[in-house]
Amino acid sequence: MKGLILGTMAILSMTVFGENITTEKLAANLNNPQYIIVDTRESSYFNGWPEEGRTRGGHIPGATDFSYRWLDEENLNEKNTAILMERLKEKNILNSEKNIVLYSTSLKENEKVENYLKKLGVKNIYTYDFNQWEKDDTKPLVQFKGYEKLVPSYWVNQLIEEKNPKGYDGKGYEIFEVSWGPLNSAVTYLKGHIPGAVHINTDNIEPPPEWMINSDGNLINFAKSMGVNKDKTVVLYGENVMAAYRLAIIFQYLGVKDVRVLNGGYKAWTREGYPTKAGIENNSSVRFFGSSQPLNKNYILNINEAKEVIANNKKDQLLVDIRSYDERIGKTSGYTYMLRKGRIKGSVWGMGGTSSVTLEDYRNIDDTMRNGNEILSMWNKLNIDANKKLVFFCGSGWRASEVLFYSEVLGLKGNSIYSNGWMEWSKNSTNPIEMGVEK
């Protein structure tokens, strides 16, 4: 929807607020530490997607992000506001000694962010019309190598409207709304979902009461029952975005070649004003998936393979714990049905969130993926070498799945997941664990 108004916004003067900066001056100060360059557009465009109707995507080299979407009223509860303040400090945007350059293709987006920063006391604010940079092919733009995996709302809408969006190969697609629980409890889906989307209950991939990953045969049969073969494009979303990433990892494990997740989930769709449909939708099953067994067997590790990563002390591999700090040190197991507390001995902490169902350290406050450069910086501070093979785990696989998918958006290859994680590890008292604060 935003693309429809870009032409109008582009011709408006960017000098009606703040102080305009020229392309020449901006380019001359890209490496000047006194200038903090800030992309105020939606996160997908920072990642690498071109805005709707355009051909070039990505961000200005060295830029950080402060999306105007983070200032939507629905995102600024007390908890999120506190997170936003911490992020702005980390990005150096609140530094009164720096020159803050806000850029966007939209005057309103820059203005929304500028007004917010002024209320916080930021004074040295410049604004830049990104249309000038974007239309000049000689001006560089930075994209995360796997940005196409995480799609904006307009891409999904183009898919539905048969407009052959960027990267779609035309071999058919399925859209799924993913959440935990049976259809009759999927209130949001029944009330309104993306047209054509079929509901998926995550119990199909991790059945109760064990909540561990289903057998390979059952997963293949599940894919076929949902009309999925390895050559189709699969688009996943949910009100709880974590569920979509969990299923994305399963489909990639099976060998589906083109798996996309809607960046920001259902909320991202509705805020753009795209249509929704109430009720239930069904699709047809397929007879053949394209393989009788998963095509990416090394993508999901079992417990013995996870132990090998630790026991062999391989310098090129790390078992990375994506759980809250309280889970990591053994203050809580994080789950009512997991009794043992602590961490897998030999694993390293990759942070996560404040609980077993949140992932604040890896997301923006509108549930989009956090700036990938900040994720890499966080890992560096935790002594996690992104050049190594990273094997992620959490309590039951949901948080680890999301982080694994983000690592692929960043273009990292060869990473995997110990899917059953702490849930499986903690069941056997002979498996070594540690507790307490790490030195």
Side-chain angles (χ1 to χ4, degrees):
M1 292 294 182
K2 176 186 167 186
L4 299 177
I5 64 171
L6 284 177
T8 301
M9 301 308 300
I11 64 175
L12 294 175
S13 170
M14 300 295 284
T15 60
V16 296
F17 62 97
E19 183 179 346
N20 185 258
I21 188 172
T22 65
T23 299
E24 292 71 24
K25 186 173 182 179
L26 176 60
N29 286 285
L30 290 185
N31 297 315
N32 186 342
Q34 293 303 311
Y35 280 75
I36 307 299
I37 303 168
V38 184
D39 191 327
T40 67
R41 302 171 301 158
E42 292 190 29
S43 299
S44 294
Y45 307 142
F46 181 86
N47 291 348
W49 280 100
E51 297 183 58
E52 187 173 12
R54 305 194 175 210
T55 56
R56 299 185 73 214
H59 56 269
I60 293 175
T64 187
D65 57 336
F66 179 6
S67 172
Y68 79 106
R69 284 298 188 188
W70 304 346
L71 299 178
D72 289 350
E73 185 177 356
E74 64 181 357
N75 295 322
L76 290 180
N77 57 41
E78 183 177 354
K79 177 181 177 181
N80 283 349
T81 300
I83 293 173
L84 181 59
M85 289 302 100
E86 287 301 313
R87 296 279 168 84
L88 294 181
K89 291 177 184 177
E90 291 173 11
K91 297 170 188 285
N92 234 351
I93 293 175
L94 300 183
N95 190 327
S96 60
E97 298 180 357
K98 304 292 185 180
N99 297 308
I100 310 301
V101 181
L102 308 178
Y103 75 81
S104 176
T105 56
S106 165
L107 177 140
K108 288 187 176 180
E109 293 173 8
N110 270 351
E111 187 174 28
K112 189 173 183 178
V113 173
E114 182 184 14
N115 288 338
Y116 189 82
L117 291 178
K118 283 183 174 178
K119 291 178 181 178
L120 296 176
V122 181
K123 296 180 179 179
N124 300 327
I125 300 177
Y126 296 82
T127 59
Y128 177 67
D129 179 3
F130 184 63
N131 291 289
Q132 299 175 32
W133 191 282
E134 187 241 15
K135 69 182 180 182
D136 185 347
D137 290 342
T138 67
K139 293 292 184 288
L141 288 173
V142 179
Q143 302 169 327
F144 297 129
K145 292 182 179 180
Y147 77 89
E148 290 185 327
K149 295 173 68 66
L150 197 55
V151 297
S153 297
Y154 82 76
W155 191 94
V156 182
N157 190 59
Q158 288 181 350
L159 188 68
I160 295 171
E161 294 185 346
E162 300 181 349
K163 293 182 179 178
N164 294 317
K166 175 181 172 65
Y168 175 57
D169 62 10
K171 294 182 179 180
Y173 70 89
E174 300 289 344
I175 302 176
F176 297 112
E177 186 269 357
V178 192
S179 61
W180 175 71
L183 183 57
N184 59 13
S185 67
V187 177
T188 298
Y189 174 82
L190 295 173
K191 185 178 180 180
H193 54 263
I194 296 176
V198 176
H199 171 72
I200 285 182
N201 176 6
T202 56
D203 282 352
N204 288 287
I205 59 175
E206 44 184 28
E210 294 295 322
W211 311 109
M212 295 187 192
I213 190 171
N214 216 331
S215 68
D216 289 347
N218 285 341
L219 291 175
I220 292 285
N221 288 333
F222 160 70
K224 292 191 296 184
S225 73
M226 300 308 299
V228 174
N229 63 48
K230 66 181 182 63
D231 295 316
K232 275 191 176 181
T233 292
V234 173
V235 181
L236 305 170
Y237 79 96
E239 184 177 32
N240 175 0
V241 298
M242 201 182 293
Y245 291 107
R246 178 59 167 156
L247 185 57
I249 296 308
I250 298 299
F251 278 137
Q252 290 185 161
Y253 168 67
L254 296 180
V256 178
K257 297 176 182 177
D258 187 15
V259 179
R260 316 277 183 134
V261 174
L262 174 57
N263 195 17
Y266 185 60
K267 183 166 60 176
W269 179 265
T270 57
R271 76 186 181 195
E272 291 298 318
Y274 289 119
T276 60
K277 185 177 179 181
I280 300 172
E281 301 207 34
N282 298 296
N283 57 359
S284 300
S285 63
V286 295
R287 292 185 61 190
F288 302 104
F289 172 74
S291 174
S292 60
Q293 58 183 337
L295 297 174
N296 295 316
K297 286 291 288 185
N298 295 326
Y299 193 53
I300 295 181
L301 274 58
N302 60 37
I303 191 169
N304 291 326
E305 291 167 326
K307 288 179 177 179
E308 288 179 7
V309 173
I310 298 171
N312 294 340
N313 196 25
K314 296 181 179 178
K315 295 182 179 181
D316 61 340
Q317 296 186 29
L318 286 174
L319 187 63
V320 183
D321 187 350
I322 306 298
R323 295 185 302 158
S324 69
Y325 182 71
D326 285 350
E327 290 172 272
R328 177 74 179 168
I329 66 173
K331 185 175 181 180
T332 176
S333 73
Y335 303 82
T336 58
Y337 51 89
M338 296 185 197
L339 300 180
R340 291 183 79 195
K341 303 173 185 178
R343 58 183 176 270
I344 297 176
K345 186 176 182 179
S347 66
V348 298
W349 189 41
M351 300 186 69
T354 56
S355 74
S356 62
V357 295
T358 60
L359 202 61
E360 296 96 333
D361 294 323
Y362 287 88
R363 291 190 204 150
N364 299 314
I365 61 174
D366 62 349
D367 283 339
T368 54
M369 172 185 155
R370 186 178 180 182
N371 184 332
N373 297 318
E374 293 174 5
I375 292 175
L376 293 174
S377 177
M378 178 173 66
W379 286 350
N380 184 56
K381 292 176 182 177
L382 295 167
N383 295 317
I384 297 173
D385 186 349
N387 294 312
K388 295 183 178 182
K389 178 179 178 180
L390 306 179
V391 181
F392 302 104
F393 79 93
C394 58
S396 62
W398 285 44
R399 289 170 287 177
S401 292
E402 187 169 339
V403 174
L404 173 55
F405 197 90
Y406 288 160
S407 78
E408 294 165 354
V409 173
L410 295 178
L412 303 181
K413 304 290 185 181
N415 293 339
S416 58
I417 183 175
Y418 168 36
S419 185
N420 291 333
W422 181 252
M423 176 173 51
E424 180 180 43
W425 190 277
S426 63
K427 283 181 178 293
N428 188 335
S429 60
T430 65
N431 290 331
I433 67 170
E434 293 179 324
M435 297 183 69
V437 177
E438 296 173 275
K439 297 180 180 179

